[in-house]
Amino acid sequence: MSPDFDELVGTEATGAERAKLREAHDLLLRAGPPPELTPKLKAGPNPGVARMQHRRRAVKRRSLVLLAAALSVAVVFFAGYGVASHRGGSSSAGGTATTIQLKGTASAPDAQATLDVWQERDGNWPMTLSVKGLPKLPEHTYYEVYLVRDGRPWGSCGSFVVSNPSQALQLHLNAPYKLQKGDSWVVTRQTAGAEPGKTVLSPVAA
Amino acid sequence: MRKNSGDMEFALEAPRLRAVPSPDPAPTLDTSDAELLARVGEGDREAFELLYRRYVRPLFGLALRRLGDRGHAEDAVQEAFAAIWRSASTYRPERGAAGGWLYTVARNAIVDRLRRNGLATDAELPELVSSEPGPPERAEDSYVSVRVHRALEELQPREREVIELAYWSGLSQSEVADYLGLPLGTVKTRTRSGLARLASLLEGEDL
């Protein structure tokens, strides 16, 4: 059953404003509901795309790589040394391991964020936090990103401040821990030398 | 003072890592689709991730509408984004809006998938949901869906939540308020502000 426009918007909006709302209402009805994503699509772009990126870069560097390889072979040949060891550079495609959508709590109702956790690199899990809507905090107060495990805060993954609340912010963070299934993250408001910190961003329920 | 259940209070003795803003001006949630596409064309992975987050649901909706199967639609969307990655450098802003370009690339990926499945010819791309209107109207409906679903992604989560419940759950405003544990006035306010924001987005967006 279609929702009733008058019930949705009441009688406060009139004239041009009401017409604008009506247009959005009609478009929503025409569009129908957006679908629920499959887990694979929710996880992020296909790693194959990342591999393509690596291939693209590889092609750009191909001539340099070939030249370097040729020089290496020549040096080894003429010096009469064998290669004692060779490290296979197995850099991963570096896709996201998980993406967490965060929404503002009552402490920061307008805030929202996306936390992309990238594949592990030597014990580190690089993360990118894209956040907007957090207010500027008083001096000596800052925001902190916490890993949450078993429903409890477990370890810090970095801290930041907001100097311009009207602008979105993108930050590079890191989780230097061995991540486990079920791990999640929150953003808290911390005051230097004081406790406790209040959660301002928490994961959107699946 | 009443504590909100979403608030968690704690203090930890943990080493703190100072976050360092990216040395390069990274794309943000406010970066336009056209700019993201331009960056993707230069191989910017972060821009691609952002573009993906904005369009994956609208394009999955489009694919599902055309293919009628979640598995095939999932494959088509992944192929569409691979095509976007490959051909982003060919996008020219002066020739049209970014959203329209993305829609076309996605639609072509879906047609390719249909052809591989033996479901489409060069002449027609069937719609599996709508059966009454003719092909032009059906194509326009699909485009409208992508535009509206893309605009929904721009709403504040709390606005999007009440809009989706109001329009597609079959709940009345009072029932939405009960479901979310919010005062009815708050639900009405969020619905109205969400609609207004949607109207502005659809009016000014570059799809």
Side-chain angles (χ1 to χ4, degrees):
Chain A
M1 190 176 69
S2 299
D4 180 63
F5 177 72
D6 293 329
E7 189 207 352
L8 289 178
V9 304
T11 54
E12 288 172 32
T14 56
E17 186 195 353
R18 192 172 189 82
K20 200 172 151 184
L21 295 178
R22 166 65 87 174
E23 193 177 343
H25 170 83
D26 291 341
L27 283 171
L28 278 167
L29 292 179
R30 193 171 161 196
E36 278 298 310
L37 292 178
T38 63
K40 199 187 280 186
L41 290 177
K42 204 180 276 184
N46 186 340
V49 174
R51 282 197 292 275
M52 274 185 273
Q53 178 185 24
H54 282 250
R55 279 205 294 274
R56 182 186 289 191
R57 286 178 179 164
V59 167
K60 283 182 179 174
R61 295 176 187 151
R62 182 172 294 161
S63 57
L64 277 177
V65 171
L66 287 173
L67 180 61
L71 283 172
S72 299
V73 169
V75 167
V76 168
F77 178 79
F78 287 110
Y81 292 109
V83 177
S85 65
H86 176 71
R87 284 191 171 188
S90 60
S91 65
S92 70
T96 47
T98 187
T99 296
I100 313 277
Q101 298 293 336
L102 302 162
K103 67 177 180 181
T105 66
S107 301
D110 293 326
Q112 54 180 297
T114 300
L115 182 70
D116 286 310
V117 182
W118 302 89
Q119 295 293 346
E120 184 256 0
R121 288 180 207 155
D122 300 320
N124 293 289
W125 296 80
M127 305 189 301
T128 305
L129 179 73
S130 302
V131 60
K132 67 179 180 182
L134 281 176
K136 186 176 179 177
L137 295 175
E139 204 175 356
H140 307 306
T141 310
Y142 52 92
Y143 293 106
E144 185 129 25
V145 180
Y146 270 105
L147 169 69
V148 175
R149 183 168 292 170
D150 299 324
R152 300 189 60 79
W154 198 83
S156 171
C157 297
S159 53
F160 62 96
V161 295
V162 172
S163 56
N164 187 349
S166 64
Q167 281 194 344
L169 191 62
Q170 188 167 62
L171 299 158
H172 297 301
L173 304 157
N174 182 46
Y177 316 108
K178 190 173 183 179
L179 297 188
Q180 298 177 3
K181 191 176 180 184
D183 282 349
S184 191
W185 283 265
V186 295
V187 177
T188 67
R189 189 175 62 202
Q190 302 285 141
T191 301
E195 58 183 15
K198 189 167 257 186
T199 298
V200 294
L201 281 160
S202 59
V204 176
Chain B
M1 184 185 290
R2 189 176 71 86
K3 277 187 187 174
N4 185 289
S5 61
D7 290 351
M8 187 191 304
E9 294 187 342
F10 55 84
L12 281 182
E13 291 298 325
R16 292 199 174 107
L17 306 170
R18 277 282 161 197
V20 181
S22 176
D24 299 321
T28 69
L29 298 177
D30 291 334
T31 306
S32 72
D33 291 348
E35 192 179 336
L36 284 182
L37 254 185
R39 285 170 176 250
V40 172
E42 294 165 0
D44 187 329
R45 161 114 199 191
E46 288 182 33
F48 184 64
E49 290 265 351
L50 267 176
L51 202 63
Y52 179 92
R53 296 285 164 214
R54 288 180 186 179
Y55 277 92
V56 65
R57 212 155 67 126
L59 296 188
F60 184 54
L62 176 69
L64 204 52
R65 189 183 171 92
R66 299 289 173 97
L67 294 161
D69 174 271
R70 287 177 70 80
H72 289 318
E74 180 184 88
D75 290 344
V77 168
Q78 291 191 324
E79 286 157 10
F81 277 102
I84 289 165
W85 174 262
R86 282 194 305 271
S87 54
S89 60
T90 65
Y91 168 65
R92 297 286 175 271
E94 64 274 13
R95 294 173 67 178
W101 187 88
L102 288 161
Y103 173 83
T104 303
V105 172
R107 186 179 178 280
N108 289 341
I110 293 164
V111 173
D112 287 345
R113 165 66 48 177
L114 281 166
R115 285 179 187 142
R116 277 206 296 279
N117 293 350
L119 295 173
T121 65
D122 287 347
E124 191 184 16
L125 176 63
E127 291 270 2
L128 299 182
V129 174
S130 172
S131 58
E132 289 184 3
E137 291 79 16
R138 295 201 301 257
E140 193 184 335
D141 277 350
S142 295
Y143 189 47
V144 166
S145 295
V146 171
R147 289 175 62 211
V148 172
H149 295 162
R150 163 71 184 91
L152 276 171
E153 299 293 319
E154 287 289 301
L155 296 188
Q156 295 276 351
R158 60 185 188 173
E159 289 175 346
R160 187 166 63 229
E161 184 175 45
V162 294
I163 292 277
E164 293 192 0
L165 284 170
Y167 279 85
W168 300 305
S169 72
L171 298 177
S172 68
Q173 291 277 274
S174 303
E175 289 167 334
V176 171
D178 285 345
Y179 177 77
L180 295 175
L182 293 170
L184 178 59
T186 303
V187 169
K188 282 181 176 292
T189 301
R190 288 183 186 178
T191 305
R192 209 163 41 238
S193 63
L195 274 178
R197 172 102 175 108
L198 264 183
S200 298
L201 287 165
L202 290 165
E203 196 176 55
E205 48 77 34
D206 62 355
L207 274 171

